[in-house]
């Protein structure tokens, strides 16, 4: 067993968040410290945004990125893996799909980026997964902990702002306290954050999730400093017109795991995604020419991602 909780090597993985906090109450203090940090609204310059079922890794010397982050996590959990010696960091937005493989990818990316730097520990931080009535957040938490528990390296859990520690009451409804976080890759600072601009190809990236992709996509080529989307394909969506004719409330109730606490942009974003799928029924043909990824490079003048045209 190589998961380290509060500095102690563990024989067994915690079954749920309540067990973790009961046995290691120090995580309550760590979560409170995160809550005390003022939330920041992060603009597009120097940002690498990571969507649901996506991951990315970068090192502090990367001139293209200042902040790596994710938001809109209700029952999902944002996972940060960082090497304390080099500062190399990987971030993922997990909803329970593809966790085992993605955990291995995150750790290996961080190890690769840490080569040649001083020795350090692999640190793990979890944020999200509020206490929802269906227990979806707990399921995601357990799948993540199990995956790290199985890893051959020692991994030190330094933050677990999940479950009850990321839940507040609004009226009679449980709600997340923190929906998103950013990580300053130069300093390692982690802070609550929102991202009004989520970078390029958002509808394409959302379409992949909407159509049921089960893998977690690595969206950053750190060696070349490029954002990388795809390639992937999906089957045509039947009944797109029918979905688009429904009310926002209908979309919320039928397409969200946490309809009571979704941010206001959920329904408009979902409509935009369905329209994109309707117009691109075979993205392997209409989007990914010759089965090539879409690459974006940081524009030196604007600081934003620009599509690399063939």
């Amino acid at each position: 067993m190589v998961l380290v909780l509060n500095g102690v090597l563990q024989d067994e993985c915690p079954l749920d968040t309540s067990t973790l906090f009961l046995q290691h109450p120090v995580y309550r203090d760590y979560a409170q410290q995160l809550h005390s940090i003022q939330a920041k609204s992060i603009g597009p310059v120097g940002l690498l945004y990571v969507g649901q079922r996506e991951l990315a890794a970068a090192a502090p010397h990367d001139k293209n990125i200042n902040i790596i982050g994710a938001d809109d996590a209700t029952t999902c959990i944002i996972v940060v893996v960082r090497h304390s010696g080099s500062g190399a960091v990987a971030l993922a937005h997990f909803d329970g799909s593809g966790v085992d493989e993605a955990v291995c990818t995150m750790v290996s990316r961080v190890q690769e980026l840490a080569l040649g730097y001083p020795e350090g520990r692999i640190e793990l931080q979890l944020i999200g997964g509020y206490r929802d009535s269906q227990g979806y957040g707990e399921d995601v938490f357990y799948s993540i902990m199990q995956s790290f528990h199985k890893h051959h390296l020692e991994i030190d859990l330094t933050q677990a702002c999940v479950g009850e520690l990321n839940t507040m009451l609004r009226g009679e409804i449980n709600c997340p306290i923190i929906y998103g976080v950013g990580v300053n890759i130069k300093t390692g600072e982690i802070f609550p954050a929102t991202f009004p601009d989520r970078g390029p190809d958002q509808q394409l990236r959302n379409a992949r999730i909407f159509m049921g992709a089960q893998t977690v996509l690595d969206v950053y080529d750190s060696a070349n400093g490029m954002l990388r989307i795809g390639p992937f394909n999906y089957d045509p969506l039947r009944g797109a017109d029918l979905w688009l004719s429904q009310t926002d409330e209908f979309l919320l109730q039928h397409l969200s795991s946490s309809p009571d606490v979704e941010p206001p942009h959920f329904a408009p974003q979902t409509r935009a995604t369905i329209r994109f799928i309707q117009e691109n029924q075979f993205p392997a043909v209409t989007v990914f020419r010759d089965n090539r990824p879409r690459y974006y490079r940081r524009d030196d003048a604007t600081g934003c991602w620009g599509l690399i045209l063939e």
Side-chain angles (χ1 to χ4, degrees):
M1 177 53 222
V2 288
L3 192 63
V4 178
L5 304 180
N6 192 26
V8 180
L9 204 63
Q10 301 297 301
D11 293 324
E12 296 181 354
C13 180
L15 294 176
D16 52 38
T17 56
S18 297
T19 302
L20 174 65
F21 305 144
L22 183 65
Q23 296 176 347
H24 305 279
V26 69
Y27 290 112
R28 295 182 180 277
D29 299 332
Y30 297 155
Q32 195 59 46
Q33 290 169 18
L34 184 62
H35 294 159
S36 69
I37 300 173
Q38 182 70 36
K40 300 177 183 178
S41 178
I42 303 299
V45 177
L47 170 66
L48 177 56
Y49 181 83
V50 177
Q52 190 171 339
R53 288 183 216 166
E54 292 182 351
L55 69 87
H61 62 264
D62 193 316
K63 62 182 179 62
N64 301 291
I65 302 169
N66 298 319
I67 304 292
I68 184 170
D71 63 0
D72 285 1
T74 56
T75 57
C76 296
I77 294 178
I78 299 167
V79 176
V80 178
V81 174
R82 186 172 182 271
H83 183 262
S84 63
S86 66
V89 63
L91 183 146
H93 183 154
F94 285 150
D95 61 8
S97 295
V99 173
D100 275 350
E101 183 180 355
V103 161
C104 290
T105 300
M106 292 178 79
V107 175
S108 65
R109 290 281 186 276
V110 166
Q111 285 183 293
E112 290 163 9
L113 291 168
L115 284 174
Y117 286 86
E119 290 186 6
R121 298 188 63 79
I122 300 289
E123 299 173 342
L124 170 65
Q125 301 187 71
L126 310 178
I127 302 96
Y130 84 113
R131 178 167 278 181
D132 65 290
S133 59
Q134 302 298 318
Y136 294 133
E138 284 292 333
D139 291 342
V140 177
F141 169 80
Y142 185 69
S143 69
I144 292 168
M145 293 295 279
Q146 282 288 95
S147 294
F148 280 103
H149 179 88
K150 291 183 290 190
H151 203 281
H152 65 277
L153 289 179
E154 279 192 16
I155 296 169
D156 194 349
L157 182 67
T158 60
Q159 177 65 269
C161 187
V162 292
E164 65 182 87
L165 301 190
N166 193 40
T167 304
M168 64 179 179
L169 271 176
R170 187 179 297 148
E172 297 181 354
I173 298 172
N174 281 354
C175 298
I177 299 172
I178 297 174
Y179 281 81
V181 293
V183 181
N184 183 322
I185 68 164
K186 314 298 183 189
T187 66
E189 174 200 8
I190 187 167
F191 52 88
T194 58
F195 304 93
D197 186 320
R198 296 179 167 124
D201 280 337
Q202 275 303 301
Q203 292 169 13
L204 171 63
R205 294 157 77 177
N206 291 337
R208 178 178 166 271
I209 309 307
F210 190 91
M211 297 304 288
Q214 296 300 301
T215 56
V216 178
L217 194 66
D218 186 348
V219 297
Y220 188 59
D221 178 347
S222 58
N224 295 300
M226 294 191 294
L227 182 64
R228 174 185 58 215
I229 307 301
F232 53 82
N233 203 20
Y234 47 71
D235 295 327
L237 174 63
R238 295 180 179 179
D241 287 331
L242 186 59
W243 280 112
L244 291 171
S245 70
Q246 303 302 319
T247 64
D248 286 359
E249 182 62 23
F250 184 93
L251 296 180
L252 196 59
Q253 293 298 327
H254 289 82
L255 296 176
S256 169
S257 63
S258 51
D260 292 333
V261 300
E262 289 289 359
H265 57 255
F266 177 86
Q269 179 178 284
T270 300
R271 289 187 189 280
T273 299
I274 294 172
R275 289 193 190 97
F276 179 89
I277 295 168
Q278 193 177 40
E279 295 166 3
N280 296 273
Q281 298 188 48
F282 300 98
V285 176
T286 59
V287 179
F288 302 110
R289 308 291 182 178
D290 300 323
N291 204 37
R292 288 195 300 252
R294 286 168 65 81
Y295 283 108
Y296 289 82
R297 191 180 297 280
R298 181 74 68 193
D299 184 281
D300 290 336
T302 66
C304 299
W305 298 106
L307 181 64
I308 299 174
L309 300 174
E310 296 294 335

